Amino acid sequence: MNRVRRTGLALLGPVLSIVVALVIFAIVILLIGEDPLAALQVMTDLGDRPSQQVQSIVVILNRAVPLFLAGLAVSIAFRMGLFNIGVEGQYRLATILAAAAGAAVALPAPLHVLLIVVVAMLVGAVWAGIVGVLKVTRGVSEVISSIMLNFVALGTASFLLTGPLRGSGPGESIVTTKIIPESGWFPSLNGLLTGLGLAEPRSELFGFLLVAVVVGVGIAVLLKRTRFGFDLRATGLSPSAATASGVDARGMVIKTMLLSGAIAGLIGLPELLGNAHRFSTEFTAGLGFLGIAVSLLGRNSPVGIALAALLFAFLDRAALPLQFADIPSSVVTIIQGTIVLAVVIANEIARRLALRSAERAGAAAGPSGGEGGGSSPPPDTGPDGGQRIYTGVPGEPQGVES
Amino acid sequence: MTKAAALLLAGSLVLAACASDEEPSGGSAGGGGTGADEELKIGLAYDAIGRGDRSFNDSAFAGAEAAVKEFGGEYREVTPNEDGSDRAELLAQLAEEGYNPVIAVGFAYDETIAEVAADFPDTTFAQVDGANALPDGTSKGDNVTGLLFAAEEGSFLAGAAAALKSESGSIGFIGGQDVQLIQTFQAGYEAGARAVNPNIQILAEYLSPAGDFSGFNDPARAQLLAEGMYTAGADIVFQVAGGSGTGVFQAAAAAGKRAIGVDSDQYNTVDDPALQAVIMTSMLKRVDNAVLAFVGDYVDGTVEGGSDNLYDLESDGVGLATSGGFIEDIQADIDALRQQIIDGEIEVPTTP
């Protein structure tokens, strides 16, 4: 009963925000003189022929994989109460160094890919680790330092690309690193698609999709079923309470940032290993920032983030058919922006509802726990449930209490 | 309740006002089937921010529009998403929907056009600002034509004009992104200025490094950079920065100095008379001419494919705008230099 109620509250935010976004979308479409239902139909139209439909699905999945990883990287820090805005810089620096490392060596296929993945994760972790160390030793807000490190990372990546790691000749419009030999490519999943009896798509489905699924499951298990995950969530919900119960909060900050950065390092790899095979001035940028939106929409849970990433990827692809239907594709940007805005508002509403029901439960349990705020350092057992929910992770408190 | 309704109404008015600015994309036939028996369907895939940049993309659009006016048929314009990751899909969709020829605008399509052209051998592709040969020397395909511009030749004239008109003996150059394509503008500009005045001081800056496209859409930063140049003594600044260019014009207006536009005749494309007054001239890159000519070749069935069309001073693919009459007094010098370049007496460098 209680569980159903909690799940309902957790779903309320995202569902509410998507509904609000749809309404605003309909209004915008009406205002530019088009039919919202027709527009929606265009957006969900994947194509006439089977090969086109499969191609559309591949495009969506290929876009969703990096978005999912980006959302995951952001969410781990979020869970701990840290805002890692530096995912953008972490993944770009990680991708260029991993591309360079992959191009520099020749190894048997699985080892070669493994090496690239490890390098990317290490670079991402180290770059994010700087933020953690600065926070723990000097008290620098991670928001400030991770934003600032973005500029340093992007500048460094640009310097490396145009300088020491340049693989393209002078006078070329697109500057690239050297190409990774074929042993360092990640096989595509097209064989799987045709094996399932689907038509062969034009593009290749990133094999890295499988890695992303494994990482997602791994993170879910880590958060829910391990001591580390428990400490992380506990620190995120109430740092003082966690410290009082023996969690090393400083160590947790550094470990969390390392983990967040390591996953951030993976963001560029689907494209690097599956399609581009080298880093270039044309390499997809901005995924780190999109990850923040995806993480917010997914309410920091791996399943939610996967759904959010798919939704964003779906909307992104919809920009294409919309243009062919003479509807400006900017409506997609409007929807994405509205969803994120709405999700923040809806989360707040859901939080208040949860707070109220927790207060009611607290009052029913006994008046002694009374004063409601939880501002006093020793954590009360009852009413501070409201404060826990404040961090935007409803559905979790029972794990902390257990 | 009434308050909410009022808000909604106000909001809708604002949105309607915005929407009315934007003309629905994709036009239908002007002449209506005067040309070939098969209706012409031009596919146009823009670079980065799409139409409305008052420069490069708009010029390509003007070319497509002129082509439809001349040959009949229709065109379809598409714009990539913010990070440009769907470029390949744009081209493939155009080809799949039967658009032919398909014209990609911008060097960013370099690799994607090679991939897509191989998948659609019966479609004729062209790329503005991209050669048929990939960097590694392989061809992008027999069905791809490169539409190239001798930007250094036009920039040479812009540099000469700047040096002739400069009173302080110091001029500036602001590029959108530090890439080879923009460097050819800088190279021509500097060579042209030095050809007129060997002792001229040239300040050159780029808004963003290679790999960071923000420089083409950052007027605030362009304005700061230009202010710095004007303060440092430059009295004419040449901007090759796409959407950032207005920042340079604003800085020029504020400092009472002058600037040189790029791609389109920007004297005619800026709305503000205050900014118009500072645009001494513009280095024209006639993307519209190139697009129109290419579609014409396609209609005539004379597209060779697998090669490049070069648009230079001689073919009026590049040049210097005269709107506003600011360079009337030096027109004779400019024309003489132009002729010398065409005759091969002056060789213009392509790297600074």
Side-chain angles (χ1 to χ4, degrees), chain A residues 40-203:
Chain A
L40 212 56
Q41 202 182 355
V42 167
M43 291 172 69
T44 48
D45 178 20
L46 296 181
D48 305 327
R49 283 178 284 118
S51 65
Q52 283 177 329
Q53 291 162 357
V54 178
Q55 169 70 15
S56 301
I57 292 169
V58 167
V59 167
I60 292 174
L61 286 176
N62 280 354
R63 178 76 178 168
V65 171
L67 285 178
F68 171 68
L69 291 168
L72 215 53
V74 176
S75 78
I76 289 170
F78 261 146
R79 273 294 179 93
M80 166 76 192
L82 295 171
F83 196 1
N84 181 7
I85 308 182
V87 170
E88 178 74 17
Q90 287 148 24
Y91 98 83
R92 297 246 275 175
L93 198 60
T95 312
I96 184 171
L97 288 174
V105 298
L107 286 170
L111 281 178
H112 200 164
V113 172
L114 190 68
L115 172 88
I116 296 172
V117 173
V118 168
V119 169
M121 291 181 83
L122 272 180
V123 175
V126 167
W127 202 252
I130 300 174
V131 176
V133 171
L134 280 176
K135 185 173 176 77
V136 170
T137 57
R138 315 291 331 157
V140 182
S141 157
E142 82 282 0
V143 176
I144 307 291
S145 59
S146 63
I147 291 181
M148 291 305 175
L149 278 169
N150 269 346
F151 292 105
V152 181
L154 298 191
T156 309
S158 192
F159 161 75
L160 289 172
L161 180 60
T162 50
L165 299 182
R166 184 180 183 131
S168 54
E172 286 166 23
S173 302
I174 299 178
V175 184
T176 68
T177 59
K178 287 199 186 69
I179 195 153
I180 299 172
E182 207 154 329
S183 57
W185 299 7
F186 209 102
S188 87
L189 293 178
N190 279 15
L192 187 75
L193 290 175
T194 45
L196 287 169
L198 295 167
E200 171 95 35
R202 203 173 49 240
S203 311

Side-chain angles (χ1 to χ4, degrees), chain B residues 223 226-227 230 235 237 247-259 278:
Chain B
Q223 188 170 357
E227 271 166 13
Y230 290 127
D235 56 358
V237 172
V248 176
F249 299 148
Q250 271 152 1
K257 306 283 175 68
R258 277 177 293 185
V278 303

Side-chain angles (χ1 to χ4, degrees), chain B residues 279-297:
Chain B
I279 302 175
M280 185 176 88
T281 176
S282 295
M283 200 297 267
L284 300 175
K285 186 164 142 182
R286 301 299 302 270
V287 177
D288 50 344
N289 283 358
V291 168
L292 178 62
F294 175 76
V295 176
D297 285 352

Side-chain angles (χ1 to χ4, degrees), chain B residues 12-40:
Chain B
S12 62
L13 283 175
V14 171
L15 279 167
C18 299
S20 65
D21 276 357
E22 207 161 326
E23 161 188 340
S25 59
S28 54
T34 47
D37 5 314
E38 207 178 304
E39 186 93 315
L40 180 67

Side-chain angles (χ1 to χ4, degrees), chain B residues 39-334:
Chain B
E39 186 93 315
L40 180 67
K41 285 173 82 182
I42 308 170
L44 198 59
Y46 292 127
D47 201 0
I49 58 173
R51 190 142 69 79
D53 63 351
R54 306 191 168 201
S55 173
F56 189 59
N57 291 315
D58 280 0
S59 188
F61 163 72
E65 209 173 36
V68 165
K69 213 165 260 170
E70 191 167 339
F71 307 112
E74 57 170 315
Y75 60 84
R76 161 73 56 205
E77 32 175 8
V78 291
T79 308
N81 61 1
E82 211 164 305
D83 55 25
S85 58
D86 65 351
R87 284 203 181 95
E89 279 305 299
L90 290 181
L91 294 181
Q93 282 278 328
L94 284 171
E96 215 160 54
E97 302 279 329
Y99 288 92
N100 198 5
V102 171
I103 301 169
V105 183
F107 66 81
Y109 282 97
D110 257 4
E111 289 194 359
T112 43
I113 202 169
E115 282 168 34
V116 177
D119 285 341
F120 297 93
D122 297 330
T123 303
T124 305
F125 290 88
Q127 185 189 3
V128 175
D129 271 349
N132 174 264
L134 277 170
D136 59 9
T138 56
S139 167
K140 286 174 187 165
D142 289 338
N143 51 343
V144 182
T145 304
L147 309 179
L148 301 178
F149 296 86
E152 71 280 3
E153 291 185 3
S155 301
F156 185 95
L157 297 186
L164 285 167
K165 290 297 248 181
S166 172
E167 284 155 17
S168 65
S170 170
I171 57 174
F173 172 88
I174 292 180
Q177 191 188 7
D178 195 0
V179 288
Q180 185 261 344
L181 182 83
I182 308 298
Q183 285 162 4
T184 58
F185 287 81
Q186 187 195 348
Y189 182 70
E190 292 183 347
R194 295 222 166 87
V196 171
N197 175 4
N199 298 321
I200 196 150
Q201 191 201 356
I202 305 170
L203 310 166
E205 297 263 14
Y206 285 88
L207 289 171
S208 60
D212 176 2
F213 282 85
S214 65
F216 288 115
N217 205 9
D218 192 352
R221 192 165 144 64
Q223 188 170 357
L224 268 179
L225 265 186
E227 271 166 13
M229 287 185 177
Y230 290 127
T231 313
D235 56 358
I236 299 169
V237 172
F238 178 32
Q239 62 85 10
V240 186
S244 304
T246 42
V248 176
F249 299 148
Q250 271 152 1
K257 306 283 175 68
R258 277 177 293 185
I260 300 177
V262 75
D263 292 348
S264 301
D265 185 352
Q266 296 198 291
Y267 180 86
N268 291 326
T269 58
V270 292
D271 291 329
D272 190 346
L275 299 188
Q276 216 173 22
V278 303
I279 302 175
M280 185 176 88
T281 176
S282 295
M283 200 297 267
L284 300 175
K285 186 164 142 182
R286 301 299 302 270
V287 177
D288 50 344
N289 283 358
V291 168
L292 178 62
F294 175 76
V295 176
D297 285 352
Y298 173 79
V299 171
D300 297 341
T302 55
V303 174
E304 275 176 49
S307 60
D308 297 323
N309 296 347
L310 181 69
Y311 298 90
D312 54 9
L313 276 179
E314 196 171 3
S315 59
D316 278 327
V318 292
L320 221 47
T322 53
S323 304
F326 299 116
I327 55 167
E328 233 164 56
D329 51 332
I330 55 166
Q331 194 62 46
D333 299 299
I334 298 290

